[in-house]
């Protein structure tokens, strides 16, 4: 035991012993999967979230514990202790739990007692930092580039336009719509449809010459043409067993209790492959242009929920929502996609179920109306808590919209040899890849077909989400992080534009989620709130007025 000089230095030694013991205990508890704290209050989750250096490697806390042990034998250890505290702030939840307990111990055992000013000096920074850190870490939609109304004017004549309004809470959104509707009608426009989620928009038929005047209204945010530009992604080609390739039989889950919305060309829920216990796996539907206008939607649905014993879906236990938004030619206008998403959001709000949305379609990312799709998709994730799994596209070039939205979980396609499919769109937006070449599924007549495309790698990933969600109903961004960090790396080491983070690995994702070892790709955002309590405690301990010790010993 080192000889220490001065009361303040003695107290720092006590701090070092506490931290060393806590780090070692943290390693043990982590691998025993014990003492995880989840509190459904966002601010509090900053302090007690399941984020830890232990998730990266057990070597990190071991090195930290060793460093604290070394610091104990160094007489002038304050600089090292300050450095260690910065790194130690990441040790969630154990580091923060200890810092909070230690702070209360200081307040109780310090002699003389802390005065009011000293108490306020410790509490006020916490009260300020907590909401600030929450705000900084909370995801926000990116800014969007709105089309020029002057360019739209040059098109001439009447047309269908999507008028996006300023963002307000729901009750005000309806009132704002009413005001703008009156303005549209005054300008000679006809209202076709409206919705307030996932974005507050109005679909109107109006002369393009009136658009500049409408754009000048205080509540109008942007105007987009309602273009028929959204296409499904599929091609036909021969056979493989995706469930065996993904080793899904080792996952003790089938998606029971989870809802997957298929926004597509409609589903024939009456084919035998979608019957479960005499009832259809489709529990509700929304139809814009017909029941099932093309086989594509049924083929996508069967990738997830087929009950066929020889060709089962990825997650046989899920319930499906059939959201039909395409015309018979396999093309949809932008409004129809937004309307379909709106129905899904409303369904979730009214039924209080965990919903995943599978989207096997896209449009050119440079299209005039593409920004409103990105905005709407981001809101589905951020406002309504719906994971949005989206196909990257079949262009063999840049990722299609809305797969390029910030909060889309974008899926490319590989063949059974784990080589990227020639048609799979690529770019910085790709999150993972999944099998999308020669997939066995069933068409709307119940016939076995073999299909290829990112249209089918996408529902495979949505089904994998459902398998995890049955056990751990993670928020969308946590689900995204889980599947990114557990993906099997392919291509060049680390993230790359073709494979993203790699091949989806539902076995690893399920194991990590059920053991509460959920890694996050933005761990540095929590530094602010983690560091603050530990730093304050260190400052108070360094004053030399702390008299609490081990074994009933007191220092003072």
């Amino acid at each position: 035991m080192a000889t220490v000089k001065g009361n303040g230095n003695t107290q720092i030694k006590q701090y070092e012993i506490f931290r060393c013991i806590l780090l070692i205990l943290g390693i043990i508890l982590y691998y025993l999967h014990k003492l995880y704290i989840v509190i459904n209050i966002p601010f509090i989750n900053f302090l007690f979230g399941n984020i830890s250096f232990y998730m990266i490697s057990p070597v990190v806390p071991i090195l930290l514990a060793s460093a604290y042990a070394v610091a104990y034998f160094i007489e002038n250890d304050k600089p090292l202790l300050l450095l260690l505290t910065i790194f130690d702030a990441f040790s969630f939840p154990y580091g923060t739990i200890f810092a909070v307990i230690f702070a209360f111990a200081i307040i109780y055992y310090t002699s003389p007692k802390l005065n009011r000013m000293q108490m306020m000096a410790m509490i006020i920074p916490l009260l300020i930092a907590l909401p600030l850190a929450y705000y900084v870490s909370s995801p926000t939609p990116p800014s969007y580039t709105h089309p020029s109304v002057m360019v739209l004017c040059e098109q001439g004549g009447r047309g269908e336009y999507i008028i996006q309004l300023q963002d307000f809470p729901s009750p005000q959104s309806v009132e704002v719509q009413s005001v703008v509707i009156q303005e549209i009608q005054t300008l000679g426009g006809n209202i076709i449809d409206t919705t307030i989620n996932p974005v507050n928009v109005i679909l109107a038929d109006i002369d393009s010459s009136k658009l500049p005047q409408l754009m000048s209204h205080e509540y109008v945010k942007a105007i987009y043409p309602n273009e028929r530009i959204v296409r499904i992604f599929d091609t036909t080609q021969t056979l493989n067993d995706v469930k065996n390739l993904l080793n899904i039989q080792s996952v003790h889950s089938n998606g029971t209790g989870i809802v997957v919305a298929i926004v597509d060309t409609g589903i024939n829920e009456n084919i035998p492959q979608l019957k479960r216990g005499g009832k259809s796996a489709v529990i509700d539907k929304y139809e814009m242009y017909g029941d099932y206008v093309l086989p594509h939607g049924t083929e996508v649905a069967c990738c997830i929920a087929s009950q066929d014993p020889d060709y089962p879906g990825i997650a046989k236990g899920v319930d499906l929502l059939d959201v039909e938004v395409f015309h018979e030619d396999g093309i949809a206008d932008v409004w129809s996609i937004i309307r379909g998403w709106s129905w899904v959001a409303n369904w979730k709000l009214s039924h209080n179920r965990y919903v995943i949305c599978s989207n096997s379609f896209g449009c050119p990312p440079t299209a005039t109306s593409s920004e409103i799709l990105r905005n709407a998709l981001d809101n589905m994730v951020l406002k309504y808590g719906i994971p949005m799994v989206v196909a990257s596209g079949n262009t063999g070039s840049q990722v299609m919209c809305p797969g390029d939205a910030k909060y889309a979980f974008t899926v490319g396609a590989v063949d059974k040899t784990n080589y990227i499919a020639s048609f799979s769109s690529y770019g910085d937006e790709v999150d993972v890849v999944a099998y999308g070449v020669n997939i066995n599924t069933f068409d709307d007549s119940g016939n076995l077909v073999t299909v290829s495309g990112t249209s089918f790698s996408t529902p495979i990933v949505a089904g994998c989400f459902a398998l995890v969600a049955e056990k751990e109903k993670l928020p969308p961004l946590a689900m995204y992080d889980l599947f990114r960090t557990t993906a099997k790396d392919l291509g060049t080491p680390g993230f790359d534009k073709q494979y993203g983070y790699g091949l989806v690995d539902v076995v690893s994702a399920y194991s990590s989620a059920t053991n509460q070892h959920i890694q996050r790709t933005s761990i540095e955002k929590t530094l602010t709130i983690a560091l603050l309590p530990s730093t304050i405690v260190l400052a108070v301990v360094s004053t030399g007025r702390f008299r609490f010790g081990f074994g009933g010993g007191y220092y003072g």
Side-chain angles (χ1 to χ4, degrees):
M1 185 72 67
T3 302
V4 296
K5 297 179 181 179
N7 182 60
N9 209 21
T10 302
Q11 310 325 311
I12 293 178
K13 298 304 179 185
Q14 300 304 307
Y15 184 86
E16 290 157 4
I17 294 173
F18 269 117
R19 301 308 292 130
C20 185
I21 293 174
L22 185 76
L23 284 164
I24 295 171
L25 179 63
I27 299 169
I28 297 171
L29 293 174
Y30 175 74
Y31 284 102
L32 292 177
H33 315 314
K34 302 293 184 181
L35 292 188
Y36 279 90
I37 299 177
V38 179
I39 303 173
N40 292 322
I41 303 175
F43 286 6
I44 303 301
N45 274 333
F46 274 98
L47 291 172
F48 303 105
N50 292 333
I51 304 172
S52 175
F53 263 154
Y54 309 137
M55 298 175 181
I56 300 171
S57 169
V59 174
V60 176
I62 290 172
L63 289 175
L64 281 173
S66 301
Y68 274 108
V70 170
Y72 186 85
F73 294 98
I74 299 175
E75 184 171 335
N76 186 15
D77 55 358
K78 281 189 179 181
L80 178 58
L81 192 58
L82 282 167
L83 181 62
L84 289 173
T85 303
I86 293 173
F87 285 101
D88 196 36
F90 285 108
S91 301
F92 276 30
Y94 310 110
T96 307
I97 291 173
F98 175 78
V100 172
I101 294 173
F102 203 60
F104 278 108
I106 291 167
I107 294 171
Y108 183 77
Y109 288 105
T110 297
S111 179
K113 296 292 184 182
L114 294 179
N115 60 39
R116 183 177 299 176
M117 291 299 294
Q118 291 171 323
M119 291 281 287
M120 291 176 63
M122 294 185 66
I123 295 173
I124 291 177
L126 282 172
L127 295 179
I128 295 174
L130 206 58
L132 179 62
Y134 175 68
Y135 174 78
V136 169
S137 298
S138 295
T140 55
S143 58
Y144 298 97
T145 303
H146 305 135
S148 167
V149 292
M150 300 311 298
V151 173
L152 296 180
C153 275
E154 295 174 0
Q155 298 176 358
R158 296 182 71 90
E160 287 187 5
Y161 294 92
I162 301 171
I163 297 94
Q164 183 180 7
L165 309 184
Q166 298 291 345
D167 296 322
F168 290 96
S170 295
Q172 289 178 265
S173 295
V174 176
E175 297 175 8
V176 166
Q177 269 195 4
S178 300
V179 173
V180 177
I181 285 172
Q182 291 181 12
E183 178 68 15
I184 294 171
Q185 292 171 336
T186 300
L187 295 173
N190 299 316
I191 306 303
I192 300 173
D193 201 358
T194 64
T195 183
I196 62 172
N197 57 44
V199 282
N200 190 0
V201 284
I202 299 169
L203 179 63
D205 175 70
I206 190 172
D207 194 285
S208 61
S209 64
K210 305 294 183 180
L211 296 181
Q213 188 175 345
L214 180 59
M215 186 65 204
S216 65
H217 194 284
E218 61 176 326
Y219 292 143
V220 175
K221 186 175 184 179
I223 301 175
Y224 302 87
N226 185 27
E227 301 171 296
R228 292 189 73 236
I229 54 173
V230 185
R231 297 177 180 271
I232 51 178
F233 299 138
D234 71 340
T235 180
T236 302
Q237 290 191 45
T238 61
L239 309 175
N240 69 36
D241 189 343
V242 173
K243 294 194 77 167
N244 287 336
L245 289 171
L246 293 176
N247 195 27
I248 285 178
Q249 60 272 15
S250 65
V251 175
H252 303 296
S253 171
N254 67 3
T256 298
I258 305 304
V259 178
V260 179
I262 308 293
V263 181
D264 214 286
T265 64
I267 302 170
N268 182 2
E269 71 272 21
N270 295 314
I271 62 173
Q273 291 81 7
L274 290 178
K275 293 288 187 180
R276 187 173 55 217
K279 296 181 179 179
S280 175
V282 177
I283 60 172
D284 208 345
K285 59 170 49 183
Y286 176 74
E287 300 171 355
M288 292 194 71
Y289 304 107
D291 190 355
Y292 45 98
V293 299
L294 286 172
H296 188 267
T298 305
E299 293 164 357
V300 168
C302 287
C303 287
I304 301 174
S306 168
Q307 306 296 304
D308 188 90
D310 296 320
Y311 303 99
I314 295 296
K316 294 175 60 177
V318 302
D319 294 325
L320 299 178
L321 298 179
D322 174 10
V323 187
E324 193 283 307
V325 295
F326 280 83
H327 296 274
E328 292 182 358
D329 57 2
I331 303 176
D333 56 71
V334 173
W335 179 264
S336 297
I337 301 299
I338 294 174
R339 206 71 180 87
W341 286 344
S342 174
W343 184 84
V344 173
N346 286 330
W347 194 95
K348 178 183 177 179
L349 291 174
S350 60
H351 291 79
N352 195 29
R353 298 278 300 274
Y354 189 92
V355 178
I356 299 163
C357 189
S358 180
N359 306 273
S360 295
F361 54 79
C363 69
T366 56
T368 307
S369 304
S370 59
E371 288 288 75
I372 189 68
L373 280 180
R374 297 185 190 101
N375 194 175
L377 184 143
D378 287 342
N379 284 346
M380 289 288 285
V381 176
L382 300 181
K383 292 185 177 181
Y384 302 98
I386 299 173
M388 298 292 282
V389 186
V390 187
S392 67
N394 288 2
T395 63
S397 58
Q398 66 189 124
V399 170
M400 302 294 277
C401 174
D404 59 351
K406 182 175 181 179
Y407 295 108
F409 191 82
T410 306
V411 182
V414 293
D415 61 23
K416 64 181 180 180
T417 66
N418 293 347
Y419 191 78
I420 195 72
S422 60
F423 53 77
S424 184
S425 297
Y426 57 86
D428 291 331
E429 303 86 357
V430 175
D431 289 290
V432 297
V433 291
Y435 296 111
V437 178
N438 302 331
I439 303 299
N440 302 314
T441 187
F442 297 90
D443 65 16
D444 51 12
S445 297
N447 298 318
L448 180 66
V449 292
T450 304
V451 294
S452 298
T454 55
S455 273
F456 308 104
S457 56
T458 297
I460 287 170
V461 172
C464 291
F465 274 29
L467 295 178
V468 170
E470 180 184 337
K471 299 299 181 183
E472 295 292 335
K473 294 178 174 59
L474 301 173
L477 299 187
M479 186 73 80
Y480 292 2
D481 281 334
L482 173 67
F483 275 85
R484 288 169 183 150
T485 54
T486 58
K488 178 183 178 182
D489 191 26
L490 298 177
T492 57
F495 177 87
D496 61 74
K497 294 184 178 182
Q498 287 188 309
Y499 298 94
Y501 289 92
L503 177 68
V504 64
D505 187 345
V506 68
V507 176
S508 294
Y510 182 86
S511 175
S512 294
T514 52
N515 289 330
Q516 296 288 304
H517 294 184
I518 302 168
Q519 300 182 34
R520 296 182 186 266
T521 57
S522 56
I523 196 170
E524 71 281 354
K525 290 183 178 180
T526 60
L527 171 62
T528 304
I529 197 59
L531 179 59
L532 188 63
S534 192
T535 305
I536 292 175
V537 168
L538 180 63
V540 176
V541 171
S542 299
T543 64
R545 294 191 295 114
F546 184 59
R547 59 184 184 86
F548 174 69
F550 290 102
Y554 290 86
Y555 302 83

